[in-house]
Amino acid sequence: SPLYFEYEINPLGKELVLLITNKNGKFSAWLPWYRVEKHAQKKVFINGGKMKNGSPSKSWSAEIFLPFQLIDPLVAEAPSSGTRWNANFCRLDYDSGKMVKFSWSPIKVAFHEFEKYRSIRFE
């Protein structure tokens, strides 16, 4: 069945790392690798605010580096130049008081519609 890696980060730098299976629209998730939090490199930048729960800000961004070794159990070999993988990049925003979804790949209902993920190419 389809299996994919999900990495989430919030403006406070907190991470959620999951393995997701999708069997005919029924999702299961596992917290797979405690080592991801230890080996992923991340930086969160807050513009016009403080890195504090509930603190207003103008914007925020994150840079993330995931060493291939963290996901190598999921793929046969490291990607080489020209290799394509399907991926999605999403955001949930609660600023308006309700959840608003943003997604790089087009989705109808959930971010887990893996068959709609767009292709990324490694250089």
Side-chain angles (χ1 to χ4, degrees):
S1 64
L3 175 72
Y4 52 94
F5 174 78
E6 179 174 319
Y7 177 88
E8 299 180 21
I9 189 166
N10 74 9
L12 300 177
K14 302 296 182 188
E15 299 164 295
L16 177 62
V17 182
L18 300 170
L19 278 180
I20 307 286
T21 61
N22 183 338
K23 291 184 176 185
N24 300 319
K26 295 179 182 176
F27 304 108
S28 297
W30 295 283
L31 297 172
W33 298 303
Y34 66 91
R35 64 185 188 150
V36 170
E37 289 90 353
K38 294 180 181 177
H39 298 287
Q41 297 174 26
K42 66 180 189 285
K43 291 192 180 208
V44 175
F45 305 94
I46 305 291
N47 179 19
K50 296 181 180 178
M51 190 180 274
K52 182 179 173 188
N53 195 23
S55 177
S57 66
K58 292 181 181 179
S59 65
W60 72 279
S61 62
E63 292 181 23
I64 304 157
F65 172 75
L66 297 171
F68 177 75
Q69 293 81 3
L70 294 176
I71 61 170
D72 69 357
L74 297 176
V75 294
E77 59 187 43
S80 57
S81 181
T83 299
R84 291 186 177 270
W85 285 1
N86 291 339
N88 201 5
F89 304 93
C90 310
R91 178 180 172 162
L92 293 175
D93 192 334
Y94 295 92
D95 290 346
S96 68
K98 64 178 184 171
M99 182 175 59
V100 178
K101 298 177 184 178
F102 300 92
S103 179
W104 178 64
S105 298
I107 60 167
K108 288 186 179 179
V109 179
F111 292 133
H112 302 289
E113 298 170 14
F114 67 90
E115 65 280 351
K116 296 178 183 169
Y117 290 178
R118 291 182 175 164
S119 177
I120 58 172
R121 189 175 89 186
F122 290 86
E123 295 295 327

